[in-house]
Amino acid sequence: MVFEYILKQQGIDPAADLEIDQSIDFGSTAAAFSGGLGDFTVEFEPSATALEKEGAGFVVASLGVDSGYVPYTSYSAKTSYMEEHPEIIQGFANALQKGMDYVNSHTASEVAEVIAPQFPDSDLETITTIVDRYAQQDTWKENLIFEEESFDLLQDILETAGELSSRAPYADLVTTEYSQKAVSQ
């Protein structure tokens, strides 16, 4: 949806101006591309870097750069849980912010060494390349505050894709209380 949204923002009609094969299992798109299917592919990491290392392709653009801050990851909790356990929610937000602070204040190689155990199928050089690319692209925000602008962008993308019939009010679904407090600590 993000890819198609970007295309439409650039005046390209994905349905009329090109052919997008969405029949391929998401985990198999890199293999299909390196096997000769298609002229372009949309890949998450580490598949994009793996294609470059194999000499099978090049990263030519970043959907994250071209779209703006799309909130790919957000955390949800019931209001009742947040009211009953604010210390757990705050501790979780504090821990995430601490991680963001670390990522934003250390080199790509330092970050890669710390996160490498989470990616046992990737070597340290690949992880470092990915972290460096993300840092150069300003992929990570300075804080975890889920801003209304990003919420609206997500709804724009869903609406453009025909997946959202009515917009949800930001104030009804998002609380930034915990993330704002985490930033100030």
Side-chain angles (χ1 to χ4, degrees):
M1 285 187 281
V2 172
F3 178 57
E4 290 184 13
Y5 176 80
I6 293 167
L7 291 173
K8 289 174 184 176
Q9 297 293 48
Q10 298 301 315
I12 299 169
D13 180 350
D17 297 336
L18 52 111
E19 183 180 325
I20 299 175
D21 184 348
Q22 295 188 20
S23 69
I24 304 167
D25 176 70
F26 183 72
S28 302
T29 57
F33 177 75
S34 64
L37 184 61
D39 296 318
F40 296 90
T41 183
V42 176
E43 299 295 333
F44 280 100
E45 294 293 2
S47 298
T49 298
L51 285 170
E52 283 189 326
K53 285 181 83 172
E54 294 168 13
F58 301 96
V59 174
V60 296
S62 164
L63 299 184
V65 169
D66 293 337
S67 66
Y69 281 116
V70 176
Y72 280 102
T73 304
S74 62
Y75 299 94
S76 301
K78 291 182 177 182
T79 303
S80 59
Y81 186 87
M82 293 189 319
E83 289 170 353
E84 293 170 22
H85 306 285
E87 71 288 346
I88 292 174
I89 301 295
Q90 190 60 62
F92 183 70
N94 292 351
L96 291 172
Q97 184 61 53
K98 187 175 181 181
M100 290 307 314
D101 293 343
Y102 184 88
V103 165
N104 286 314
S105 64
H106 288 78
T107 66
S109 59
E110 291 170 326
V111 172
E113 284 184 38
V114 170
I115 67 172
Q118 302 302 313
F119 303 96
D121 295 334
S122 297
D123 60 68
L124 187 59
E125 179 185 346
T126 298
I127 297 168
T128 303
T129 298
I130 293 166
V131 171
D132 186 53
R133 178 177 290 146
Y134 281 7
Q136 289 180 34
Q137 293 174 348
D138 193 29
T139 297
W140 297 297
K141 292 178 59 197
E142 301 259 331
N143 60 61
L144 301 169
I145 299 169
F146 189 170
E147 289 140 352
E148 190 166 1
E149 179 181 322
S150 292
F151 184 76
D152 290 342
L153 175 59
L154 178 58
Q155 291 191 101
D156 290 346
I157 292 166
L158 292 168
E159 207 170 51
T160 300
E163 298 294 330
L164 184 65
S165 58
S166 64
R167 295 177 79 87
Y170 172 82
D172 290 352
L173 294 178
V174 178
T175 179
T176 61
E177 166 189 350
Y178 300 100
S179 56
Q180 287 178 354
K181 192 181 283 185
V183 169
S184 66
Q185 292 184 355

